[in-house]
Amino acid sequence: MSVQKEVKRVTTHVLAEMKLHGEKISMLTSYDYSMAKLVDQAGIDVILVGDSASNVMAGNETTLPITLDQMIYHGKSVVRGVTRALVVVDMPFGTYQGNSLEALNSAIKIMKITHADAVKLEGGKEVIESVERIIMAGIPVMGHLGLMPQSIHKYGTYTVRAKEEVEAKKLIEDAHFLEQAGCFAIVLEKIPAKLGAQVAHELKIPVIGIGAGGGVDGQVLVIHDMLGLTQEFSPRFLRRYLNLAADIKGAVGSFVADVKSRNFPNEKEQYE
Ligand code: KIV
């Protein structure tokens, strides 16, 4: 029996049940109403309004510039298109690291205005006070460890994380901290598959990976990457299910040619 097929609405409780039954969790990002509606209708379990919007929607090099109000705009648009999936909104850089009260206020603003189901933030022990305070206010929190794009300037590269024992040990400790603090799930980004499997085995909460191997409880990808809208980004973990960039360029090229050649509109495509 499939846990998620039985439910009308995916909740954090449903995700816990899925892990319990060994049923893998699917998660994709979305940033707007139309895409979120399609992704939801296709049966995704979780939609992440990722701060990757900073890269794929706004064209920034990093996730750092996106603001709380911009994330709220994306979150609100996504929630309007979703009837079934759990919607998680990323807390952007600078809205939760300062102190736990600021973190709580940012999370409350996201939940109040977007009507999303949960928030996600990056970090382990160093943000645990913020995580606890947000959860105490009744807001579900998803953690994020491994490659943490908001800390790119600290690490200087987007290469695989936690390959060395010290970093792997810290990641495992942080994952336990997040679970104890009450996170309902954790994202692990770009770490060795063996480490991903170990964390998923040790934690009771679902562990969702992006480049963390097949031994975790679920998989997440950025929708622009898996649909082939982004072309320059080709990490090993990415599977492209479409080549939309080529399709869009082809379609636009045909439109341009049809307009220039007066082939569009034809007689049926105009009013009497
Ligand atoms: O912002 C995002 O899209 C993410 C995913 C890569 C997990 O955090």
Side-chain angles (χ1 to χ4, degrees), residues 55-190:
N55 309 101
V56 298
M57 299 300 287
N60 292 310
E61 245 178 62
T62 72
T63 57
L64 275 67
I66 199 159
T67 66
L68 187 59
D69 286 341
Q70 286 166 341
M71 285 305 298
I72 287 173
Y73 167 80
H74 288 296
K76 241 164 91 174
S77 311
V78 165
V79 168
R80 279 192 211 109
V82 174
T83 60
R84 186 183 166 280
L86 183 95
V87 179
V88 182
V89 177
D90 254 340
M91 297 187 67
F93 176 68
T95 64
Y96 60 92
Q97 294 94 341
N99 64 63
S100 61
L101 180 59
E102 189 190 0
L104 176 63
N105 287 334
S106 307
I108 287 177
K109 192 170 174 191
I110 290 173
M111 298 298 285
K112 246 189 191 315
I113 306 179
T114 68
H115 300 172
D117 302 301
V119 296
K120 174 166 87 56
L121 52 81
E122 296 180 9
K125 197 174 175 191
E126 58 285 351
V127 292
I128 220 69
E129 225 182 280
S130 297
V131 170
E132 283 169 345
R133 201 154 178 180
I134 296 169
I135 291 170
M136 259 191 299
I139 301 171
V141 175
M142 177 180 268
H144 184 149
L145 297 170
L147 174 60
M148 293 179 278
Q150 291 180 13
S151 303
I152 184 60
H153 295 303
K154 178 173 164 192
Y155 296 102
T157 123
Y158 286 103
T159 53
V160 181
R161 289 287 138 78
K163 277 177 116 171
E164 307 301 328
E165 208 185 314
V166 179
E167 205 186 331
K169 206 164 153 245
K170 173 163 171 26
L171 187 145
I172 294 167
E173 273 170 21
D174 279 342
H176 283 282
F177 272 123
L178 291 171
E179 178 170 70
Q180 277 155 24
C183 282
F184 71 92
I186 292 178
V187 165
L188 291 181
E189 182 165 354
K190 220 171 177 186

